[in-house]
Amino acid sequence: MLFPAPVVGRFAPSPTGPMHLGNLRTALLAWLHSRALGGRHLLRFEDLDTGRVRPGAEQTARDDLRWLGLDWDREVRQSARLALYRDALERLPTYRCTCTRREILESAGAPHGPELVYPGTCRNGCLPGRPGALRWRVPDETVCVRDHWTAETLCQHLPTEVGDVVLQRNDGVYAYHLAVVVDDAEMGVTDVLRGADLWTATPRQVALQRALGCPEPRYWHVPLMTDFQGERLAKRGGAPSVQQLRAGGAAPAAVRTTLIRSLGWETDETADLDALLRLYRLKVLEPAALQT
Ligand code: GLU
């Protein structure tokens, strides 16, 4: 059976600016997922990159979510959990890397894929006297992950397709990949529903889970919302924020309908959350249960 354990889902926004409709759609789907399975739903603010965090963004996000009718059972903030990340980091084989991006580019040659793969330049020692990032010496393995939203499988050979992953930046900030793995495990997350932009980062996160002895959640990567020109709705792209929509008098039910219809699903204007939970079971959970 696909959903044996009690389900725990989460929404994990980065409070780096106002939420737009794309973030809100992911938030709605994550909530529908947890609740349609009778599970707990958690909110996690990913605020480790302090230079990008915007004051007030966290509270605005909470207000946006509540306005849409969503709730959650526990809330955490990554900046309050640094000891957890430090402990995990100490359990992994890492080395200090002082290479600049330019040096990496030069030694890596032309990238083979969309992402630059770190060629391991500092694996056997590096230039002293410069601040360095901590990189995880990835095992020589191929990791395959399955996505339940798209029914796709993705395999990546860690040394050649991912490279040694930065787990702590040279300014001391713990990296997202480390924090997300530690947090999902500590919070008991069984189902990760998030934007499709993180799909290709999933094998390295699963590899980290294995190295740390953490359970592997089920993954559901939802399409990113695009505007009429097919451009991704980016925070800086001029799309109205949810806060602006609220201030402009938009009705939550109408916004929910817009979000759901943007997936190509049919729903009427007045659909309440119970109707959307039924729709979610029909569109996502029942087909996914049949795939396995
Ligand atoms: N904080 C990430 C974001 O806002 C999401 C991380 C995740 O869901 O794993 O894109």
Side-chain angles (χ1 to χ4, degrees):
M1 192 178 144
L2 184 57
F3 309 109
V7 162
V8 181
R10 47 60 156 197
F11 177 57
S14 308
T16 52
M19 288 217 288
H20 57 76
L21 283 179
N23 304 120
L24 199 65
R25 187 173 80 177
T26 304
L28 173 62
L29 291 171
W31 182 90
L32 287 170
H33 188 91
S34 305
R35 299 307 194 202
L37 288 164
R40 282 163 48 75
H41 189 63
L42 316 177
L43 178 64
R44 179 171 75 229
F45 286 107
E46 304 210 319
D47 62 344
L48 289 180
D49 194 352
T50 41
R52 293 181 58 228
V53 168
R54 291 287 158 266
E58 202 179 285
Q59 188 52 41
T60 307
R62 267 187 218 105
D63 293 344
D64 291 345
L65 297 172
R66 288 205 187 98
W67 173 82
L68 199 71
L70 311 185
D71 62 356
W72 50 96
D73 303 304
R74 182 184 170 198
E75 181 182 311
V76 301
R77 176 187 296 132
Q78 288 186 327
S79 57
R81 298 159 64 81
L82 301 184
L84 286 174
Y85 313 136
R86 191 196 55 227
D87 290 351
L89 193 57
E90 281 170 4
R91 290 164 47 211
L92 293 164
T94 56
Y95 61 90
R96 201 155 283 284
C97 166
T98 56
C99 301
T100 60
R101 201 178 150 72
R102 187 196 188 96
E103 286 163 353
I104 296 171
L105 267 171
E106 279 165 5
S107 58
H112 298 292
E115 203 185 346
L116 175 68
V117 176
Y118 178 68
T121 323
C122 287
R123 266 194 172 207
N124 302 313
C126 61
L127 290 174
R130 290 204 304 213
L134 273 187
R135 284 188 186 265
W136 174 40
R137 194 181 287 269
V138 293
D140 185 6
E141 282 167 18
T142 297
V143 175
C144 296
V145 291
R146 178 160 171 82
D147 188 78
H148 294 282
W149 187 278
T150 59
E152 273 174 39
T153 298
L154 174 66
C155 295
Q156 287 175 348
H157 179 238
L158 299 173
T160 56
E161 292 180 84
V162 175
D164 291 342
V165 181
V166 171
L167 298 185
Q168 189 175 26
R169 298 188 335 201
N170 65 11
D171 58 2
V173 171
Y174 292 105
Y176 155 70
H177 297 303
L178 176 69
V180 76
V181 163
V182 169
D183 283 337
D184 284 339
E186 187 279 334
M187 297 165 85
V189 170
T190 59
D191 288 71
V192 170
L193 186 149
R194 61 186 182 186
D197 52 331
L198 291 165
W199 171 228
T200 54
T202 309
R204 75 196 64 178
Q205 294 179 4
V206 167
L208 270 174
Q209 286 156 6
R210 291 180 188 166
L212 289 166
C214 302
E216 183 179 328
R218 287 173 289 262
Y219 285 98
W220 310 76
H221 287 89
V222 300
L224 297 177
M225 201 160 155
T226 52
D227 65 14
F228 296 115
Q229 282 89 44
E231 292 281 330
R232 181 178 164 189
L233 278 188
K235 284 178 189 168
R236 274 165 288 208
S241 68
V242 179
Q243 191 182 24
Q244 285 166 338
L245 292 172
R246 285 198 275 127
V255 171
R256 288 196 300 256
T257 302
T258 305
L259 296 175
I260 291 296
R261 286 186 180 162
S262 71
L263 290 160
W265 301 354
E266 278 168 34
T267 180
D268 58 60
E269 295 289 347
T270 54
D272 60 13
L273 285 168
D274 280 336
L276 296 187
L277 285 167
R278 285 193 296 277
L279 187 65
Y280 189 84
R281 286 189 194 101
L282 194 76
K283 290 285 190 186
V284 180
L285 299 180
E286 290 174 17
L290 288 177
Q291 280 161 24
T292 46

